[in-house]
Amino acid sequence: MAGIDSSSRFNQGIFERFDLEAREYSRIHWTDSEKDQYFDTIPVPQSFPHIALYETFASTAVFMAHEETGNLIVDEKIALEAIDRVKNFCNTQGLGSLVYVYRLLTAYDNLNAINYFGCIPEQEFLRGSWHRPWVKYSLSDDIMMGELFNVLQVVIRDDQRYVELTPKGIDFLPDLHRALDESGHFSHRIRFLHMSQFNLFDDYEKLAEYIWPQAMPFRKHLINYACIKPGMKVLELGCGSGLLSFEAGLADCIGPEGSLISMDPSAGMIKRSMAKPKAKEKNWVEFRIGPAEDLPFADNSFDAVLGCAFLHFTDRDLALKEMSRVTRTGGIVASCHPLVYNFGNLPFFSEWFAPIFQLSAKRNEKPKSFMFSSEEGLASFSNAGLTQIESQEAPFSTVFHDPDKAVKHFIHGVGLFQEELADLPWKARQDIMENLLERGIDVCNKYSLEELVVYWPSQFVRGIVP
Ligand SMILES: C[S@@+](CC[C@H](N)C(=O)[O-])C[C@H]1O[C@@H](n2cnc3c(N)ncnc32)[C@H](O)[C@@H]1O
């Protein structure tokens, strides 16, 4: 459940149901042969299979709530579906494989947190309050297993007990990180966060309008640039709350003789769009939930496929190949997106966001970014087999006048530094977010309004399906 807001809402009855089901399933299926297959002679604590199942039920339920309803409320129906989904996995792959993967992930969370903080007071570690605050049991077995593998130890300093890494633990952590990275764990988590953060982004429209005052003319320009005409069959991807479909006039431009499908992986954003009176009036507009990388449409289905400010959240090559596949021969694929930008060169920005720059400086790198350059954007259009590719670049003003709005929008909302923050232990992430707000207040008092506006480069690209 790492990376998911801690305010996820289960009622007590659902927790009890997860607990009961986990206890019952592990009692029947945790056999000696299951254990030996994955853990050999290692003395696995009795509690492990039960806890692994219980937490996997809970995190699967939160995942499904995000995917299906766009919020964090886990109701009875989702809870039962999550239990079924996890049991189906265990029935085919074995409970041992679930327990094994779960142990790898929690070992990573434990070691990564100790490494980040240097050491963790034993009581905080046992409660998980610095790194796994969602756990509802003591992490004493985690310490016991860590000691058994000689990757962590409890030390006493000034009468206080701390958990710290052993030299073997320090060596092991990068190997574990590499193994999880190669399995796709981190990239999968980032893709999930890119969807879930928009689910939680209730005031996206209000903040986006304030932060990007020029965004609406950009959206309108995209409609022209993609040569949208009345009567066309159009697919809009990453449609969000419907600002391109409705406020910028895409649906009106297509008109009732044509059709528009507005699609986004965030069920929360789609709900906001569907709730608009304009959406209800225009019966030629349909909505779908889903990512651009996996389009549920036949080849050659559309005259045009386009989207605004979404391509940087996708696996770009995959998304553009899908966009190209579902567009008819001679049809158009177009996108408008912000480009990678060296924010670190702006004095106000590097001062404000110093805690993020410090994280990447430890690796002698710039902060990781999911933005791409104009060349990379063009290359992806070309890799997708599109022809007659054209592009335009234009800066759009981005306003950093209000610290609260800027932190909400960039850090909690669009997740500008998600790649840096996602790998931090829970408490470190919370501390940095609070710190960014405080720093923002000082920075906004220090710099002039003009200095606090960034002219962020963006790119319009279009290509034709051969
Ligand atoms: C900055 S918002 C832009 C919304 C809208 N196009 C606009 O102009 O206001 C980015 C949108 O991309 C969506 N998104 C995230 N990952 C995506 C993916 N893999 N495929 C398509 N859209 C994605 C988000 O859910 C979000 O609604």
Side-chain angles (χ1 to χ4, degrees):
M1 289 163 87
I4 297 173
D5 193 277
S6 61
S7 62
S8 57
R9 282 153 276 172
F10 295 86
N11 67 39
Q12 192 54 30
I14 287 177
F15 274 128
E16 281 161 16
R17 181 70 186 259
F18 287 154
D19 186 51
L20 200 75
E21 294 275 353
R23 216 170 277 285
E24 191 56 17
Y25 192 92
S26 56
R27 188 181 63 74
I28 298 169
H29 296 273
W30 187 243
T31 58
D32 283 346
S33 70
E34 193 72 27
K35 179 200 150 297
D36 293 347
Q37 191 184 344
Y38 289 93
F39 294 91
D40 201 8
T41 54
I42 300 162
V44 178
Q46 271 306 317
S47 61
F48 270 22
H50 164 242
I51 287 175
L53 272 167
Y54 170 83
E55 270 206 52
T56 312
F57 288 154
S59 53
T60 303
V62 173
F63 177 83
M64 290 171 68
H66 260 294
E67 255 192 344
E68 291 171 20
T69 65
N71 62 39
L72 289 173
I73 299 168
V74 172
D75 61 17
E76 185 92 15
K77 179 174 163 284
I78 290 182
L80 294 179
E81 279 173 19
I83 291 171
D84 272 354
R85 209 191 257 199
V86 176
K87 281 187 185 170
N88 280 342
F89 173 86
C90 294
N91 292 342
T92 51
Q93 306 295 320
L95 175 57
S97 75
L98 180 111
V99 177
Y100 184 75
V101 171
Y102 174 80
R103 287 324 304 175
L104 281 183
L105 293 174
T106 49
Y108 179 75
D109 280 348
N110 290 339
L111 301 186
N112 187 42
I114 303 169
N115 184 52
Y116 179 88
F117 293 113
C119 63
I120 298 182
E122 188 185 28
Q123 284 310 313
E124 304 294 352
F125 186 95
L126 289 171
R127 283 196 290 269
S129 46
W130 287 19
H131 68 307
R132 292 163 61 195
W134 45 88
V135 295
K136 296 220 171 295
Y137 49 88
S138 160
L139 294 180
S140 52
D141 282 340
D142 289 53
I143 293 190
M144 191 269 284
M145 286 298 271
E147 286 177 331
L148 188 74
F149 283 100
N150 189 24
V151 290
L152 57 79
Q153 61 195 356
V154 176
V155 295
I156 300 174
R157 257 184 254 120
D158 301 330
D159 288 339
Q160 293 287 331
R161 292 169 67 84
Y162 295 94
V163 184
E164 65 177 32
L165 294 185
T166 60
K168 188 177 165 204
I170 293 170
D171 284 348
F172 176 58
L173 181 58
D175 292 341
L176 185 52
H177 184 280
R178 200 170 313 113
L180 291 176
D181 196 21
E182 283 169 11
S183 76
H185 168 70
F186 296 112
S187 56
H188 182 76
R189 204 168 76 164
I190 289 289
R191 268 204 298 283
F192 174 67
L193 288 171
H194 282 164
M195 178 267 282
S196 64
Q197 72 209 5
F198 280 103
N199 277 340
L200 304 176
F201 203 171
D202 283 331
D203 38 9
Y204 169 73
E205 289 204 356
K206 225 169 60 206
L207 287 179
E209 245 172 63
Y210 177 86
I211 302 267
W212 292 315
Q214 292 174 340
M216 201 47 84
F218 272 62
R219 291 190 188 94
K220 289 184 176 164
H221 180 60
L222 176 65
I223 299 171
N224 270 330
Y225 197 67
C227 307
I228 303 299
K229 299 278 179 301
M232 274 185 162
K233 263 187 101 176
V234 177
L235 171 65
E236 185 201 340
L237 297 172
C239 67
S241 59
L243 289 172
L244 178 67
S245 304
F246 301 113
E247 281 74 8
L250 178 61
D252 285 335
C253 178
I254 294 162
E257 302 300 311
S259 66
L260 169 63
I261 296 185
S262 296
M263 184 164 171
D264 196 287
S266 156
M269 285 300 236
I270 290 284
K271 262 192 202 163
R272 285 167 210 134
S273 185
M274 286 176 80
K276 290 181 170 170
K278 287 175 200 153
K280 293 181 182 135
E281 284 160 18
K282 301 183 198 303
N283 63 4
W284 62 96
V285 183
E286 265 180 53
F287 297 90
R288 292 283 174 94
I289 298 173
E293 296 90 329
D294 185 16
L295 298 176
F297 307 108
D299 299 0
N300 306 308
S301 296
F302 300 96
D303 299 310
V305 178
L306 78 169
C308 176
F310 82 100
L311 199 56
H312 48 304
F313 295 111
T314 68
D315 178 330
R316 207 170 53 252
D317 277 350
L318 213 57
L320 278 162
K321 281 190 182 130
E322 275 293 87
M323 291 165 78
S324 171
R325 177 185 68 76
V326 301
T327 307
R328 68 165 169 80
T329 301
I332 197 160
V333 169
S335 165
C336 162
H337 40 256
L339 293 171
V340 68
Y341 182 63
N342 194 353
F343 286 100
N345 282 348
L346 303 165
F348 91 84
F349 196 95
S350 54
E351 204 172 316
W352 185 341
F353 293 90
I356 309 265
F357 287 97
Q358 280 155 13
L359 290 174
S360 61
K362 282 191 198 150
R363 308 186 307 268
N364 290 324
E365 287 173 7
K366 287 188 192 151
K368 287 183 210 154
S369 169
F370 54 92
M371 302 287 165
F372 52 90
S373 66
S374 58
E375 294 76 21
E376 288 168 326
L378 290 172
S380 295
F381 268 67
S382 167
N383 293 343
L386 292 157
T387 57
Q388 301 174 52
I389 297 166
E390 291 178 52
S391 71
Q392 288 178 354
E393 282 182 39
F396 67 101
S397 50
T398 306
V399 172
F400 284 85
H401 292 162
D402 182 320
D404 185 50
K405 288 192 171 93
V407 170
K408 262 196 196 136
H409 184 83
F410 285 110
I411 303 299
H412 298 274
V414 300
L416 185 60
F417 293 117
Q418 193 65 272
E419 275 81 350
E420 289 294 338
L421 293 172
D423 197 31
L424 295 183
W426 183 85
K427 181 180 182 306
R429 207 164 44 234
Q430 299 304 109
D431 288 349
I432 287 187
M433 288 181 184
E434 272 169 37
N435 185 231
L436 288 179
L437 196 55
E438 283 161 22
R439 301 176 73 87
I441 295 169
D442 292 342
V443 165
C444 288
N445 284 331
K446 178 172 163 188
Y447 288 86
S448 70
L449 291 181
E450 260 171 36
E451 285 169 312
L452 292 166
V453 176
V454 175
Y455 295 92
W456 192 341
S458 73
Q459 183 184 40
F460 291 83
V461 190
R462 65 182 177 199
I464 302 291
V465 176

